[in-house]
């Protein structure tokens, strides 16, 4: 794997024509978790994919389409037009340098622009390939591995706390948070700020008495490592086969 921490000579000498682009977010995660969790998760995606593909890994973009959280102080949201325009500029620039294959990974669940962007880029630029990875049953299987079958949360619940305790425990204040959000609120989730649909921005619950700090960190590492690994299964073969089909 290569990254922006390598020299331009090292990247050139590697011969790689694959680049990994990742997008995180800066958004509220309830009253006690740091706002860069999605960025840390996106970095993990990018690092793993970079190792699998021996690719050039770019710095993670820390902003996303976080409109649902934008009423919460500190959250940053950018329009899909601005974000995808920047990603397109980056891809075109790298393509001029000889990069031909691009993998996009995203740490934010509300990034609805992702699939349409990938589809449009492949239509607009016949000389390059942009792909992303899909969940299939990876999420459900990873939940089973940490004994959380059927666990249901949308944002800033137990899994978010576990992720934070693995990735940045020094920034976590372990306090109970979240509430039972009425199921009927789901139909408004894309239309109304979440501070109007939830008690504290959490669409899920965390009870600080249920797990120890070490247990939370272990669940976070095991779940996310498994989920990311499952999403990268056969990634190299899929990328190469897709490129050959598109080019020839």
């Amino acid at each position: 794997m290569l990254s922006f921490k390598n020299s331009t000579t090292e990247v050139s000498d590697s011969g790689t024509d694959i680049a990994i682009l990742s997008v995180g977010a800066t958004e509220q995660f309830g009253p006690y978790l740091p706002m860069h969790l999605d960025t840390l998760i996106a970095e993990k995606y990018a690092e793993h994919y970079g190792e699998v593909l021996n690719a050039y890994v770019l710095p993670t973009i820390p902003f996303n389409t976080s409109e649902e959280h934008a009423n919460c102080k500190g959250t940053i949201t950018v329009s899909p037009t601005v974000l995808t325009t920047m990603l397109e500029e980056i891809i075109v620039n790298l393509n001029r340098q000889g990069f031909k294959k691009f993998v996009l990974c995203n740490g934010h669940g509300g990034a609805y622009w992702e699939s349409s962007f990938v589809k449009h880029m492949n239509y607009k630029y016949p000389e390059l390939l942009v792909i992303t990875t899909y969940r299939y049953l990876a999420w459900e299987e990873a939940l089973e591995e940490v004994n959380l079958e059927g666990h249901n949360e949308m944002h800033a619940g137990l899994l978010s706390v576990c992720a934070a305790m693995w990735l940045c425990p020094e920034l976590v204040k372990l306090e109970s948070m979240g509430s039972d959000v009425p199921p009927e609120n789901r139909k408004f989730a894309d239309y109304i700020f979440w501070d109007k649909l939830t008690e504290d921005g959490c669409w899920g619950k965390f009870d600080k008495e249920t797990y120890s700090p070490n247990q939370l960190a272990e669940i976070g590492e095991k779940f996310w490592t498994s989920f990311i690994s499952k999403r990268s299964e056969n990634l190299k073969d899929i990328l190469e086969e897709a490129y050959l089909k598109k080019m020839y």
Side-chain angles (χ1 to χ4, degrees), residues 35-68:
M35 290 188 285
H36 70 325
L37 268 186
D38 284 348
T39 300
L40 297 181
I41 290 168
E43 288 175 350
K44 287 294 181 182
Y45 279 121
E47 290 171 4
H48 184 75
Y49 296 168
E51 291 172 357
V52 168
L53 299 170
N54 192 30
Y56 173 49
V57 178
L58 276 69
T60 298
I61 297 171
F63 307 123
N64 214 315
T65 51
S66 300
E67 296 96 337
E68 64 271 32

Side-chain angles (χ1 to χ4, degrees), residues 124-198:
K124 186 174 181 179
Y125 297 102
E127 70 275 17
L128 58 82
L129 176 74
V130 183
I131 73 166
T132 186
T133 61
Y134 295 95
R135 281 178 50 166
Y136 299 109
L137 294 175
W139 185 270
E140 291 75 13
E141 292 172 356
L143 283 176
E144 290 179 8
E145 292 189 14
V146 293
N147 299 314
L148 289 175
E149 296 93 335
H151 179 74
N152 185 25
E153 72 177 70
M154 289 179 64
H155 184 79
L158 171 62
L159 280 178
S160 295
V161 175
C162 291
M165 287 300 293
W166 170 41
L167 296 170
C168 55
E170 72 282 0
L171 301 178
V172 179
K173 183 178 181 181
L174 275 180
E175 297 291 346
S176 297
M177 62 182 192
S179 60
D180 291 319
V181 179
E184 59 267 24
N185 279 9
R186 282 182 175 266
K187 60 178 172 283
F188 306 120
D190 293 329
Y191 313 132
I192 299 174
F193 294 123
W194 282 19
D195 63 333
K196 298 180 181 295
L197 298 176
T198 68

Side-chain angles (χ1 to χ4, degrees), residues 17-23 53 84 86-95 99-106 113-134 235 238-244 246-247:
D17 63 354
I18 305 170
I20 313 293
L21 294 84
S22 56
V23 185
L53 299 170
T84 57
M86 180 168 66
L87 287 168
E88 182 175 353
E89 291 278 339
I90 292 169
I91 289 171
V92 169
N93 174 253
L94 291 175
N95 182 237
F99 289 92
K100 300 176 182 178
K101 305 160 193 165
F102 301 86
V103 180
L104 176 64
C105 43
N106 167 55
W113 54 266
E114 183 180 20
S115 58
S116 59
F117 172 72
V118 169
K119 184 178 180 181
H120 181 68
M121 287 294 290
N122 284 301
Y123 164 74
K124 186 174 181 179
Y125 297 102
E127 70 275 17
L128 58 82
L129 176 74
V130 183
I131 73 166
T132 186
T133 61
Y134 295 95
L235 178 58
I238 291 169
L239 181 65
E240 294 299 332
E241 184 177 357
Y243 183 77
L244 288 173
K246 183 177 181 182
M247 296 303 120

